[in-house]
Amino acid sequence: MEILLENKGSKHIALGKGRFFFVSMAILFPILVALGFVPDYQLIASGQIKVHWFLHVHGLIMTAWLGIFLAQSLLVANGNVKRHRQLGQTGFILGILVWISLVIITVRALIVNNPPEADGQFDILFIQLQGMVLFGLFFAWGMWIRKKNAAAHKRLLFLATAILLQAAVDRIRFLPGLQNALYIRFLYLDLLLIPLFVYDWISLKRIHLMTWFGSVLICAVQAGIVVGWGSPVWHRFWYNSITPWVERVIEVKLSTAQSDQLIGNYGDAKWHLTISSTAGKLYMQLPGQEKLELGAASDTSLFVKVTNWKLNFVKAPDGKVTKLINDQIAFVWEVPKMR
């Protein structure tokens, strides 16, 4: 039988020693979030990363959701079902705000960043949509059946909360292989599902249907993302979809004299990039990496055609370029031209 206090019609199942399973997981979730996002917030606080104010609002909403998930787990674990239901009304409103904030940051990032068609932001959109769709499904379903099936209700909200942690997991820098392959990122998130299977087996002597359904659905969506990652069709669809809402950069043709002024190395002995010209086209190259073709918005402003990276050149009064300002949306930094 279930170990947590659950409502089945007019009957309640007694509390047992396993009632703190969901409490334990609700404590683990914020720890993972802190491991992923605290380093980013340190960079924000130091001014190395610049973000829009709504990202702070989004972070506050997500933190509040983790807090209410923990509070609700504690209330049920201690048998306070009445207070759990009262707080559930607040949780319902907060869950809606979580979903709305996911939509806002996703749409805003596409429109404000205005990435080129080949940019990786369209691939990241896969993961953002995964969070929006699966959280929305699990949350809405969980709230709908909360009075009819408490066992399914708590598992659905567990799954809804777990899927939100992908962004945090992706930022935990010390996890081995995180940058090597996309599926590894998903595997780390999926590790959070294993304790739920163990809990089901110990408490029910079987795996709950909602645990199976949610886990299979998450893995199926993840597999689809891995297959579709980098799809030109996907990139083109979303690039064309946002075109009516953004102002596209108009590329201009630079003369040979204008291009020659920009050619050279920028940075210092520790880090530098090279601007070069081949067959009338400008390229940027980092040490040990392939060349990236550049387009020109003006005689002092270039942009990388395959990613969202703008290069703004600063000239001295004599017309010679003295430094380069790199603009990668959240990161803006300048480097001198090397002599």
Side-chain angles (χ1 to χ4, degrees), residues 180-241:
N180 295 340
L182 177 63
Y183 73 88
I184 294 178
R185 299 185 179 192
F186 292 146
L187 289 179
Y188 281 124
L189 182 72
D190 295 344
L191 289 176
L192 296 175
L193 302 177
I194 295 177
L196 184 60
F197 278 82
V198 174
Y199 168 76
D200 278 359
W201 185 255
I202 293 175
S203 62
L204 297 175
K205 304 304 179 186
R206 61 181 177 82
I207 306 303
H208 195 280
L209 178 61
M210 203 57 68
T211 300
W212 276 119
F213 172 80
S215 300
V216 170
L217 179 59
I218 289 172
C219 292
V221 172
Q222 291 172 340
I225 294 174
V226 172
V227 172
W229 196 265
S231 167
V233 176
W234 175 266
H235 281 235
R236 190 174 305 112
F237 172 79
W238 287 105
Y239 179 82
N240 292 334
S241 296

Side-chain angles (χ1 to χ4, degrees), residues 123-290:
D123 294 313
I124 295 174
L125 180 61
F126 269 126
I127 299 177
Q128 293 172 319
L129 291 176
Q130 171 194 232
M132 288 167 48
V133 173
L134 292 185
F135 174 83
L137 172 64
F138 294 145
F139 169 73
W141 194 356
M143 297 304 295
W144 181 51
I145 65 172
R146 67 189 185 281
K147 295 181 180 179
K148 302 176 182 178
N149 191 334
H153 163 74
K154 66 185 181 184
R155 285 170 175 81
L156 283 166
L157 291 186
F158 173 92
L159 293 167
T161 306
I163 202 66
L164 294 176
L165 299 180
Q166 185 68 67
V169 170
D170 290 347
R171 288 168 169 80
I172 302 179
R173 295 158 173 79
F174 60 79
L175 291 178
L178 196 65
Q179 304 301 325
N180 295 340
L182 177 63
Y183 73 88
I184 294 178
R185 299 185 179 192
F186 292 146
L187 289 179
Y188 281 124
L189 182 72
D190 295 344
L191 289 176
L192 296 175
L193 302 177
I194 295 177
L196 184 60
F197 278 82
V198 174
Y199 168 76
D200 278 359
W201 185 255
I202 293 175
S203 62
L204 297 175
K205 304 304 179 186
R206 61 181 177 82
I207 306 303
H208 195 280
L209 178 61
M210 203 57 68
T211 300
W212 276 119
F213 172 80
S215 300
V216 170
L217 179 59
I218 289 172
C219 292
V221 172
Q222 291 172 340
I225 294 174
V226 172
V227 172
W229 196 265
S231 167
V233 176
W234 175 266
H235 281 235
R236 190 174 305 112
F237 172 79
W238 287 105
Y239 179 82
N240 292 334
S241 296
I242 67 172
T243 293
W245 310 100
V246 300
E247 183 178 353
R248 297 296 182 192
V249 177
I250 299 176
E251 186 174 357
V252 299
K253 178 68 175 178
L254 299 184
S255 66
T256 302
Q258 290 173 321
S259 297
D260 289 344
Q261 287 185 319
L262 308 180
I263 292 173
N265 295 312
Y266 296 83
D268 52 36
K270 295 182 179 179
W271 183 94
H272 73 276
L273 61 81
T274 301
I275 305 296
S276 62
S277 177
T278 303
K281 294 182 179 181
L282 289 171
Y283 294 88
M284 182 191 78
Q285 185 175 25
L286 298 174
Q289 299 187 25
E290 63 179 302

Side-chain angles (χ1 to χ4, degrees), residues 79-92:
N80 195 343
V81 177
K82 180 179 179 180
R83 182 57 181 156
H84 172 84
R85 289 174 177 169
Q86 292 173 341
L87 188 59
Q89 298 175 10
T90 303
F92 177 72

